[in-house]
Amino acid sequence: MHTHTCGCDNDEEKVATVCGYPISIFFIVVNEFCERFSYYGMRAVLVLYFKYFLRWDDDFATTIYHTFVALCYLTPILGAIVADSWLGKFKTIVYLSIVYAVGQVILAVSAIHDITDANKDGTPDNMSFHIALSMVGLILIALGTGGIKPCVAAFGGDQFQDHQEKQRSTFFSIFYLSINAGSLLSTVITPILRGQECGIHTKQKCYPLAFGVPAALMVVALIVFIVGSRMYNKTAPQGNIMVKVCKCIGFAVKNRFKHRAPQYPKRDHWMDWAEEKYDKLLIAQVKMVLKVLFLYIPLPMFWALFDQQGSRWTLQATTMDGDFGLLVIQPDQMQTVNPILILILVPIVDSVLYPLISKCKLNFTPLRRMTVGMFLAALAFVAAALVQIQIDKTLPTFPSSTVGQAKFINMLNNPLPIKAGSNGFTLNAFKANEDYLTFDKPFELQLGVRDTYHTTIQNGTRNTIVIIQNGPHLEPKAFSDITAKPEQGANAMRFLNGFASALNVTVGNQDFGLIVTNNMSDYVAVPQGDAQFKIRNNAQECVYSQKLGFGSSFTIIIPSTFAFGSIQSVVDIRPNTIHMAWMIPQYFLITAGEVVFSVTGLEFSYSQAPSNMKSVLQAGWLLTVAVGNIIVLIVAEAATLSDQWAEYILFASLLVLVCIIFAVMAYFYTYIDPTKVEAQFAQNKPEEKKRKSLEMACKDSFKHDKEDRRSSDSSSDEEEAKQTKI
């Protein structure tokens, strides 16, 4: 064992320090920063990758997202057992970091659409290949990030000696600061990277870059950690306390089942049935842990709501306006509101709110704080539902499978009376009717006073019917319209050419192609902002400008009297009008809930757990996060709610119900001091040892059966070790 100090004992190696800290911890801090940047950066854009690249619907994208997060919080238990029982922390971190980095690289490769885009149309030809690669990458990432999660912080703590308690405490503060810094920076940067255009043959949103940078950071994290290898204090595996606790519980259950007959006397607690094999102190410690774990049962519901910030709330933001003036916010960047609010609220709550409540003589116990945190999270989802209701009012109503929709554009240089079925109206020159009309069967279309047509609108479609002059008669020409709101905040634009010659229209590096007279171009996706459309024929060129929002669609009419300023714009789909700023209240509520729930929950768990079983409760706490994400995917698949706001209300209602149950459980909970309990056992231990010695002597004298001797030996191995010391 290589024990490093700063020169206290002669038999210990001296090691260089910086400001009293071992140099090795700086490698660990940098490693953690890079790893958290890698994880949170990848996760920030993940649900949008599922929706827009893999083309999954919102429900399935949400399900896979939360399945991945759940797996990330299940694997820490595996990582802790492997590190403490077999490989040790250092090797576990290295091996699983390699798995982690490989997973990130595979995920980045899976997002390159050109790999299978043989026809160069911008759409992968073999989506199954990309899905398979994505799933392999995510499984490896979950194994890696979860497996090293319980090891890195503890490994950093191993670098300090007993006389460096102050430095160790400061290290943990710096360590968690690096976690928050990595997650905050990555949730700002990776959405920006995703918003870039990249590709070999066609330009697409740059998911390979958004995943590639986190992959590079994970490789850097691994290299940095390995570089510091010679400086680390590497403790050998000493057995995992979680395994010991599980064995103790398993033996108690098994022994109780064996002695379930009425003739066996009852014991005060079911864990007391483990006394035949395990020390009473260990049993008492397990009881304390189980008491806290019982309180954990309702907690997953909080995480079920909390982790939807990365799924449902991000998808909600895609239907909103992200224009903040000088700053344009991408939907996945709204997740940065949470870490920013944490940095603001934690000191306010600790330094102002809690002391104020204390001065008011209110007994705001940890469990009551957690109850309030759960209630605040439920309120956050009520706020999200209210926002969703307003969003739904602005979303277009697309035709069902039993009806069709149509809009009419008058390309004549004079007003035109139109009668379509039972609908009658007059369109001015180069104008369109404001809203789509719905038709469920063929209808008679009368243009002016003499031109009549029998028209059929195909069910499930949207159409624009353009009225043009064809010799002495009027003629309707039908064009198919977009039937889905433009994705990723883009705007679907097209041009209708009523001019006498063919025109070419470009915007940036995108080309609408050559548009012949009385014809319509295809839709082209144009980003938010001031769009400059260059319109030209062989003789002249002009520029048409239009400010675009998020998620709109327009048909731009170039009239026969084409002159600068005469171009008309027809709305096919209105832009997002509900601003993303309306999401701030729900983010504030859920972050406030996190501050009083999560931070308090960890503090409470540590205060109520034995000193040698903090890791067991840490594993239990992470398990509640995993179960919470499993709840989300179950509800997303099982619930048949057509409205998203109704699903938000469902989650809020479930959490309120769970909150009431938790409040009742908290009311009957009795706080304990584990150190006092352990001290009592320490005082009673000499008497207990003498008593056990006499019992064993009696057993050896009066029991000669081989099976009984084996039973006596196996149930008192630990006690024999103690007797040797007496």
Side-chain angles (χ1 to χ4, degrees), residues 491-495 512 522-524 526 533 546 548 554 556:
N491 302 274
M493 310 295 292
R494 66 178 178 177
F495 280 79
F512 286 81
D522 292 331
Y523 282 105
V524 171
V526 181
F533 299 94
Q546 182 171 341
L548 300 176
F554 290 90
I556 301 174

Side-chain angles (χ1 to χ4, degrees), residues 397-399 403-409 418-425 427 432-441 443-445 457-458 461-465 481:
T397 302
F398 294 106
V403 297
Q405 293 179 338
K407 177 181 285 189
F408 298 85
I409 297 179
I418 297 176
K419 186 175 181 182
S422 60
N423 303 284
F425 50 91
L427 288 181
N433 54 310
E434 185 175 351
D435 295 315
Y436 282 87
L437 303 177
T438 300
F439 302 94
D440 58 357
K441 58 185 178 181
F443 62 94
E444 184 179 85
L445 176 63
I457 299 297
Q458 187 176 353
T461 65
R462 272 188 162 201
N463 303 269
T464 292
I465 298 178
D481 291 1

Side-chain angles (χ1 to χ4, degrees), residues 105 177 186 296 396 509 511 555 715:
V105 171
L177 178 64
S186 63
Y296 280 2
N509 60 357
D511 193 344
T555 297
S715 66

Side-chain angles (χ1 to χ4, degrees), residues 29-264:
V29 169
V30 172
N31 166 271
E32 185 65 11
F33 169 83
C34 294
E35 188 276 327
R36 290 291 87 185
F37 185 106
S38 178
Y39 174 73
Y40 282 107
M42 173 273 305
R43 209 175 93 166
V45 301
L46 189 58
V47 75
L48 298 184
Y49 170 71
F50 291 157
K51 180 176 181 178
Y52 295 129
F53 186 91
L54 299 183
R55 299 292 171 179
W56 291 341
D57 61 42
D58 288 2
D59 286 343
F60 192 63
T62 299
T63 297
I64 299 301
Y65 175 87
H66 287 284
T67 301
F68 167 70
V69 176
L71 190 58
C72 289
Y73 284 93
L74 285 172
T75 49
I77 299 174
L78 178 64
I81 293 174
V82 169
D84 292 343
S85 301
W86 294 295
L87 295 179
K89 298 183 186 73
F90 175 76
K91 288 184 179 179
T92 301
I93 294 171
V94 170
Y95 295 158
L96 290 181
S97 292
I98 294 172
V99 172
Y100 192 167
V102 170
Q104 287 280 34
V105 171
I106 291 175
L107 182 62
V109 171
S110 74
I112 303 174
H113 66 274
D114 291 302
I115 293 178
T116 62
D117 187 13
N119 57 8
K120 303 179 183 179
D121 64 348
T123 303
D125 300 326
N126 186 0
M127 190 61 76
S128 298
F129 173 79
H130 293 273
I131 292 173
L133 272 186
S134 301
M135 295 304 100
V136 171
L138 289 175
I139 290 171
L140 294 178
I141 291 170
L143 288 172
T145 188
I148 68 175
K149 191 186 295 290
C151 301
V152 180
F155 186 70
D158 290 344
Q159 308 309 307
F160 296 88
Q161 301 301 315
D162 293 339
H163 65 277
Q164 294 178 302
E165 281 299 323
K166 182 179 179 181
Q167 289 90 337
R168 182 187 283 115
S169 176
T170 307
F171 160 74
F172 282 114
S173 299
I174 297 172
F175 183 83
Y176 289 113
L177 178 64
S178 71
I179 292 175
N180 289 316
S183 63
L184 179 59
L185 285 175
S186 63
T187 49
V188 172
I189 293 172
T190 52
I192 296 174
L193 299 177
R194 178 192 66 83
Q196 306 303 307
E197 299 285 336
C198 65
I200 300 172
H201 306 302
T202 58
K203 301 299 181 183
Q204 306 284 341
K205 292 296 182 183
C206 205
Y207 289 100
L209 184 61
F211 291 142
V213 170
L217 263 291
M218 191 58 227
V219 173
V220 170
L222 175 60
I223 293 172
V224 167
F225 187 75
I226 293 176
V227 166
S229 175
R230 292 179 177 272
M231 305 178 189
Y232 297 140
N233 173 26
K234 304 169 188 174
T235 57
Q238 298 175 346
N240 190 277
I241 188 66
M242 283 189 291
V243 176
K244 192 173 183 180
V245 168
C246 291
K247 286 182 177 179
C248 183
I249 294 172
F251 180 81
V253 172
K254 183 180 178 181
N255 199 34
R256 176 68 184 92
F257 182 78
K258 283 183 178 179
H259 300 83
R260 62 187 182 276
Q263 65 266 29
Y264 295 104

Side-chain angles (χ1 to χ4, degrees), residues 43 62 65-66 69-70 73 297-313 374 377-378 380-381 590 597 621-636 644 647-648 650-652 654-656 658:
R43 209 175 93 166
T62 299
Y65 175 87
H66 287 284
V69 176
Y73 284 93
I297 293 175
L299 303 190
M301 201 65 224
F302 173 87
W303 299 114
L305 276 69
F306 180 81
D307 277 338
Q308 289 189 58
Q309 293 176 82
S311 57
R312 289 298 196 198
W313 286 14
M374 296 168 80
F381 266 62
I590 204 158
F597 175 87
W621 184 265
L622 295 175
L623 189 61
T624 65
V625 181
V627 175
N629 282 273
I630 293 172
I631 291 173
V632 179
L633 64 94
I634 291 173
V635 173
Q644 184 56 54
E647 185 178 293
Y648 288 146
L650 172 62
F651 274 107
L654 290 173
L655 185 56
V656 169
V658 168

